[in-house]
């Protein structure tokens, strides 16, 4: 189900050139991680809407997936290296009802750049709805609104026919009752795809950066997330398995809280159904009562997709807040 876009690119004339580009890319990643991993252990962060899945397909297989190599423009939000497998001039629109009164939407556009590159632009919007404004004594003064916005630019490059790298630069702002804060972040991603064995391996560093303007000068961390993952089709069967380790920069919880797993059933070239489980989400949303503790289905996700030559539709179910379940919808079209 991978696009022909990458495989049609001209092969390299010099492996030395590709290896030099790869070394420079790895140096860039290591230089960022060596600085930021040391200061990323605190779990309290702002702009946490950036942790929500945008691709319904990724959401369906656990929510943290970074290794799907289908022709899915929404994967740009999960791993910038994956857009080398997306059809040229693709437009993508996404919507999710997050919880009562809150909703999130996003959009992306991708275009080829030369023989080995792809660029893209993205936008995300999170609206938390209206909330009551009160005095410390509880007297109501009216209402106020809150929202988050992120815009980004992405470039991906195929170092070899199997290995791609990508980088996204994002400007993030939040508004609360007339006040605003601003942050700048970078996503870095690598993807290795062995088409002969239908094996995809990825490493991603999301949200490298920080606030440049804060509310009342109280600067907060943004949600840095170091991830690795794999996706593998089982022989010639229609089954494809995925596993992702996330938040590898924060070991305040046990190893199991870093795991998300999922599986696809590929019903031909154009249709799939998928399901997944996110162990962290299940644990964090567990509620205790007189009958014991239960996550009430949090952690489980499911979805399906229709992928035609130019039109794509993906739908996923998940639970990302204790108060409500969410439906995530992606629509994409290649011009």
């Amino acid at each position: 189900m991978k696009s022909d876009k990458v495989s049609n690119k001209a092969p390299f004339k010099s492996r030395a050139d590709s290896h030099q580009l790869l070394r420079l890319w790895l140096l860039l990643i290591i230089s960022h991680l060596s600085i930021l991993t040391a200061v990323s252990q605190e779990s309290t962060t702002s702009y946490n809407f950036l942790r929500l899945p945008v691709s319904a397909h990724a959401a369906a297989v656990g929510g943290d997936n970074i290794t799907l190599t289908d022709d899915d423009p929404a994967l740009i939000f999960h791993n910038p290296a994956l857009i080398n497998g997306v059809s040229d001039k693709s437009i993508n629109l996404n919507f999710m009802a997050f919880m009562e009164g809150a909703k999130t939407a996003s959009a992306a556009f991708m275009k080829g750049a030369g023989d080995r590159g792809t660029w893209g632009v993205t936008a995300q919007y999170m609206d938390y709805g209206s909330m009551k404004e009160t005095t410390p004594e509880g007297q109501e003064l009216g209402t106020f609104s809150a929202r988050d916005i992120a815009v980004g630019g992405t470039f991906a490059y195929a170092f070899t026919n199997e290995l791609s790298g990508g980088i996204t630069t994002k400007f993030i702002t939040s508004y609360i009752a007339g006040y605003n804060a601003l942050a700048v972040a970078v996503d870095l991603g690598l993807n290795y795809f062995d088409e002969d064995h239908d094996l995809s391996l990825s490493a991603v560093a999301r949200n490298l950066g920080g606030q440049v303007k804060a509310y009342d000068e109280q600067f907060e961390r943004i949600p840095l997330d170091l991830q690795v993952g794999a996706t593998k089709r089982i022989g010639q069967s229609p089954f494809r398995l995925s596993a992702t380790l996330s938040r590898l920069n924060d070991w305040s919880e046990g190893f199991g809280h870093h795991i998300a797993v999922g599986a696809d059933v590929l019903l031909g070239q154009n249709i799939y159904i998928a399901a997944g489980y996110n162990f962290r989400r299940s644990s964090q949303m567990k509620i205790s009562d007189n009958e014991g503790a239960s996550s009430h289905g949090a952690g489980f996700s499911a979805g399906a997709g229709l992928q035609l030559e130019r039109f794509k539709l993906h739908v996923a179910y998940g639970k990302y807040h204790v108060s409500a379940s969410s439906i995530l919808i992606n629509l994409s079209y290649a011009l």
Side-chain angles (χ1 to χ4, degrees):
M1 297 172 71
K2 188 177 177 68
S3 167
D4 293 334
K5 182 174 183 293
V6 173
S7 61
N8 286 340
K9 291 183 181 291
F12 284 102
K13 294 180 180 179
S14 170
R15 282 192 172 271
D17 292 341
S18 64
H19 291 161
Q20 183 178 12
L21 284 169
L22 178 57
R23 284 195 294 269
L24 290 172
W25 193 259
L26 292 174
L27 258 171
L28 177 63
I29 294 177
I30 292 169
S31 65
H32 277 83
L33 299 189
S34 61
I35 297 170
L36 291 169
T37 301
V39 297
S40 62
Q41 298 301 315
E42 293 188 24
S43 59
T44 302
T45 58
S46 57
Y47 307 106
N48 285 306
F49 77 106
L50 297 172
R51 293 195 189 276
L52 293 173
V54 176
S55 164
H57 197 169
V61 289
D64 293 327
N65 190 283
I66 57 172
T67 46
L68 294 172
T69 55
D70 296 344
D71 185 358
D72 179 1
L75 293 172
I76 190 173
F77 295 97
H78 295 260
N79 181 353
L82 296 178
I83 68 172
N84 265 337
V86 174
S87 294
D88 193 28
K89 299 179 183 177
S90 288
I91 298 175
N92 164 247
L93 299 174
N94 315 294
F95 177 82
M96 180 171 72
F98 179 52
M99 60 181 182
E100 185 176 357
K103 52 188 177 294
T104 179
S106 57
F109 176 76
M110 269 133 277
K111 190 178 187 308
D115 288 336
R116 312 295 299 185
T118 306
W119 62 264
V121 291
T122 61
Q124 292 175 266
Y125 178 79
M126 182 79 181
D127 185 350
Y128 298 95
S130 296
M131 290 166 271
K132 293 180 180 179
E133 182 178 2
T134 63
T135 66
E137 293 75 28
Q139 180 183 358
E140 290 191 21
L141 301 176
T143 61
F144 68 94
S145 62
R147 61 189 185 276
D148 293 323
I149 301 171
V151 294
T154 299
F155 182 74
Y157 188 81
F159 299 112
T160 70
N161 290 331
E162 295 80 23
L163 183 65
S164 293
I167 180 170
T168 297
T169 300
K170 298 181 287 191
F171 296 90
I172 314 152
T173 185
S174 62
Y175 297 89
I176 301 177
Y179 298 92
N180 79 295
L182 179 67
V184 178
V186 171
D187 295 347
L188 299 173
L190 288 171
N191 174 254
Y192 174 84
F193 180 68
D194 182 346
E195 191 169 6
D196 292 337
H197 297 89
D198 217 335
L199 170 67
S200 173
L201 304 172
S202 289
V204 171
R206 297 179 63 189
N207 305 317
L208 296 158
Q211 284 189 305
V212 295
K213 180 185 178 184
Y215 297 113
D216 296 325
E217 300 301 316
Q218 297 295 317
F219 288 86
E220 297 178 298
R221 303 185 191 280
I222 65 175
L224 173 66
D225 194 350
L226 306 185
Q227 304 171 309
V228 295
T231 294
K232 177 73 173 73
R233 187 168 182 172
I234 308 303
Q236 299 300 313
S237 77
F239 301 105
R240 185 170 61 179
L241 305 179
S242 295
T244 308
L245 297 177
S246 62
R247 303 197 199 182
L248 298 179
N249 50 294
D250 181 0
W251 290 94
S252 58
E253 298 179 290
F255 180 78
H257 289 81
H258 297 266
I259 303 172
V261 295
D264 290 300
V265 181
L266 308 176
L267 305 177
Q269 292 296 314
N270 305 117
I271 299 174
Y272 71 87
I273 57 175
Y277 194 80
N278 189 301
F279 289 87
R280 173 185 287 103
R281 191 171 301 125
S282 175
S283 175
Q284 289 179 340
M285 295 191 188
K286 190 169 290 185
I287 299 174
S288 299
D289 54 27
N290 294 332
E291 298 180 357
S294 173
S295 59
H296 300 282
F300 171 78
S301 56
L306 172 66
Q307 303 188 111
L308 304 179
E309 183 177 359
R310 302 181 73 175
F311 174 77
K312 278 83 178 173
L313 170 64
H314 304 266
V315 180
Y317 162 87
K319 194 168 185 177
Y320 309 103
H321 192 274
V322 293
S323 67
S325 299
S326 296
I327 298 295
L328 175 56
I329 300 173
N330 300 156
L331 292 171
S332 301
Y333 186 78
L335 300 176

